[in-house]
Every structure is written in structure tokens, then in C-alpha cells.
Amino acid sequence: MLQESLLADLLTEQPAAVRLQNLVNTLRRHFNCGAVVLLKLDNEVLQPVAIQGLVREALGRRFVLAQHPRLSALLASRSPVRFEHDSALPDPYDGLLAEQPGNALPVHDCMGISLYLENKCWGVLTLDALQPGTFTDNSVLELQKFSLFVEAAVRIGQLEQNVRALRQGQQRAMPKAGGAESNDSEIIGQSKAIEGVLKELRVVAGADLPVLLLGETGVGKELFARELHLLSQRNNMPLIYVNCAALPEALAESELFGHVKGAFSGATSDRSGRFEAAHGGTLFLDEVGELPLSIQAKLLRVLQNGEIQRLGSDKYRKVDVRLIAATNRNLRQQVSNETFRADLYHRLSVYPLPIPPLRERDDDVSILAGHFLELNRARLGLRALRLSPEAELAIQQYQWPGNVRELEHVISRAAIKLLSHGVEKTDIATIEPDMLDLDVQLPLSVTTDTNNNASADLPEQNISMKEAVNYTQRKMIEAALKRHNNSWSQAAKDLQLDASNLHKMAGRLGMKS
């Protein structure tokens, strides 16, 4: 029965991501376990590609092999590996299973297998359960057999991607630069807003045109500049970063264009500038709206003629540079105010690309939070670090005026608070809402919003806090739907929730088929 279902997934025409998600869903049902996760290997780091049974933030986690001995053991073996329930090796998903009752619980049963394509390791498939004894010797044999279907699905997805690239006249997809640096500069998120930006990036990357990245402080414009460079024909040449806001006017010309010996006091030798350093590659001018007018005129000449003149020299030098600029300012307004040159603005904004703020990225906030949770878990040497359901609700409710940068700082600060409050490093550390210090009011709290009967009619028997919160959430959603004639969009507004988050919450609570 399972083989027929897996084979049907392989033969059905569907997006690769959907095919892989269907496979992990099918495997979870068959093995009747808590979670199934498919992870791809990239430079000693495993990235979740499809998950079923874990909290959503797990999609944003990146598992460094050196920090996770179970995952390393799976990759070291070509055969399935099962870990005993009393194994001393911590599970990477401790506290992350979605259906765990009450307090965070460790995984008690785990098995997995490495996946290979063309005799090269592609990643791993893991299965986890809270109940000891979920997996038997027969389960291990079945996993070995069914892993072939997963490998075939991954291969089909790769072939489909190559065919699409050929049809569009593109080169093969660019691999990420190696090592931890590439993971630090990864753009994380699955919202339509981010997918739209990345689609535009892929199109404009090969055009070699100037690109102007627009967006609020903290949205990660530098990450998008890096991605643009990686996807371009210049990816094997340098990407040079310049923070225009940190350039003193007296030094800006020398920093950008270089100088010759004796050009000014202290110029004891010739020195090349950032444009020459970026020759053949890409120059990223961050906060370009901060450049003084005198430097803007010189920058315009470079864009027009591809020539720079070192300070103190009468000679021009040819440079071949692709320019990416970024700003959180309204450059059109600055042009009107005559604090930014109109001709330079038009040269820089050949292709303007707005980066959406975090509040417009649906539930990317949970995925990004997972990424920062894993970084802080490793940084602080914790066994596990997670958000409580109430803390996750708080980060979804908050508007994040400081965007992704603010989210990163909030998670880092809360993790340090946990340690200062006496949490042991061997515990499954859980961040509660009060540790986040966010100015939000949780409409689904057990202790608030009595007008919506949030705390009324709780079951009389002893229940855990998690069960009480789930019960309250269901009651409040039911009441909001009743007030708005079963309109989910109106109910979401009433409850101060994003509509997509409300649908996901209702699904988790068993309120939707």
C-alpha cells in the first residue's frame, strides 16, 4: 500500500517541493511516528527541506554536523541507524515536536538514513517519536527500502529544475559559497513576498545592470546584494562592501577611488580604492543616500565612463564593476530637496528592487526565529532552545519595526536571560513571552479577554498549561467566527492575527479538515 502511494507521488506531475512534502507526510502516517524530516547537506550543514510533525520554526534551523552527533552518525553510515531510547546523544529535535503535551519533551525513539544521488551524499531522512519502542527491527528494514523512493523524488526534482533552466536559457543553478559564511548570508523565508523578490533577483542578476535595493533598516539588504552577486556572471570575482554612512567626507574620495603618494598629508604611498578592488566583480554601496554631493558627482563619472581617477593623479583608470546600491531613504524626495543628484539617482535606479519589511512576510517570522534559536543554542552551548507556544504567538503578533535585525537581537537577548535565570545547559530551554520584552497583548491568553469568554468553561479535570491554552484558543476562534458569520478574514482581524496564521492555528487545533 505504501509503495503504491510513494510511486504515485513520483509519477504525478507537481512541484518538487510539493512532491517531497507529500513523501514525508506519507512516511509519517505509515510509521505512525511524531515527525519525519528530510534534510539536505550543504558544506557540513544540514538544512530542512520538508518537515512533518515539527513546529514550523524548525524550517529555519540549520544543523551544523559538528554540533549534532546523531546527524553525523547518520551521514557516516550507508545503512539505516536506530538510536535506543536511552541514547546519551541529544536529538536535534528535542522539544520541537509539534504534538507534545504540556512541557517540552525529549525525543525517545529515533532512526534515520543517509541519502545518496549518483554515489554522492545528498542528505538524510530522519524519523522521530516521543514514545519509546515506536520503531522496530522491521521499521529499519522498511526505511532502507522506502529511502529509494525519496532518493528518486529528489533526483526527479533536480532534473526538472535543470530542464526549466535550459528552457529559460539560464546556466545551472549557482551553488552557495562554501562554509559557514554562506549560511550566515542565507536568505531565509518562504513567504510569497520573499519568493517574489528572489524571482526578480534571479532575472536581473544576469543582466549586469545597476540595482537599487530599497527597504527599511534591518530588512537585510546586504544579504540580497550578496545573493545578487552569487547569481551573477561575476560570482567568481570579489564583492566589495562599502558603508557610505561611515565614510567621512574628507576620506570618502580616497576610500572609493584611491590616492597617489603625496596627495595629502599622510599619503606615504599609492593606494587603490574600493572600485579598483572590485574590478571584474561587484561593488555594493550601502546607505548610498548618505554620500556627500561632491562624491556623488565623481561617482556619476564612473557610471557613465567606467573610469576612476585616484586622488592627486591626473590619469584615468578603466574599471569594470557592477554596481549595487542600497538605501532606507526616499531618494526621490532627496532629489527634490537637492541633497541627491537627479542624474545619479537615475543611473543607480535602473532596476529598483524593494525589500519587504518583516511585518509583510506572513509567517516568515517563525522560520527566521528558528534560525536564530539554533544559532544561539550553539553559541551558548545549550542542549536545546525553543519558543513556548505563547512566545511564538507573541512574535507573530509583534509588528517588528526593526525588522529581521530586531528579531535576531530579541532572540539572542532572551536566550542569554534564560541562562542568567538558572537554566541548565543540559535542559530543553524554553523561552516564554515575558523574556522577549515585546510590546504586545496576547489575545489568546488564558487569563485575558474575558469578554470573549477566553477562560470560561475550562474542563474540570486537571490539564496542562498547553492543553488549557489550546482549549482557550479554540473557544476564542469559535466565538470570533460566530460573531462574523464564519468569515475567517473578519475573525482574523478581530483576533489581531494574520489570516494565514489563523488558518494554520485552526488546523493545528483540529478545527479544519
Side-chain angles (χ1 to χ4, degrees), residues 74-219:
L74 293 178
L75 285 171
S77 173
R78 292 293 295 262
S79 302
V81 177
R82 181 176 57 178
F83 299 93
E84 297 298 330
H85 71 277
D86 57 353
S87 170
L89 300 179
D91 193 281
Y93 314 133
D94 282 344
L96 299 183
L97 268 67
E99 297 303 324
Q100 53 192 337
N103 295 328
L105 297 176
V107 171
H108 284 133
D109 219 6
C110 172
M111 67 175 182
I113 187 171
S114 56
L115 302 173
Y116 279 75
L117 298 184
E118 299 176 353
N119 210 34
K120 181 179 179 181
C121 186
W122 179 88
V124 297
L125 179 70
T126 64
L127 293 84
D128 292 85
L130 295 175
Q131 181 65 38
T134 299
F135 304 122
T136 63
D137 291 341
N138 187 56
S139 301
V140 175
L141 294 175
E142 284 190 313
L143 180 60
Q144 175 84 66
K145 180 172 58 176
F146 297 140
S147 67
L148 299 177
F149 289 91
V150 180
E151 290 173 340
V154 171
R155 183 58 179 154
I156 289 172
Q158 289 185 343
L159 291 173
E160 290 172 343
Q161 182 180 8
N162 292 340
V163 169
R164 282 195 302 271
L166 288 172
R167 285 175 178 171
Q168 297 169 6
Q170 299 173 347
Q171 291 186 321
R172 63 182 178 86
M174 287 304 305
K176 295 284 186 184
E181 185 175 329
S182 68
N183 293 298
D184 290 342
S185 61
E186 179 187 1
I187 298 172
I188 293 175
Q190 297 182 348
S191 64
K192 290 183 179 179
I194 285 300
E195 287 180 355
V197 172
L198 292 176
K199 184 177 180 179
E200 285 193 77
L201 272 181
R202 286 189 287 270
V203 172
V204 75
D208 219 32
L209 298 171
V211 175
L212 179 61
L213 301 175
L214 306 168
E216 299 174 4
T217 298
V219 295

Side-chain angles (χ1 to χ4, degrees), residues 22 29 46 101 104 171 184 273-274 288 336 405 423 450 475 493:
N22 287 342
R29 287 194 301 270
L46 282 168
Q171 291 186 321
D184 290 342
R274 303 295 179 89
V288 70
S336 299
R405 188 179 301 156
V423 169
T450 56
K475 287 295 183 183
K493 290 180 181 179

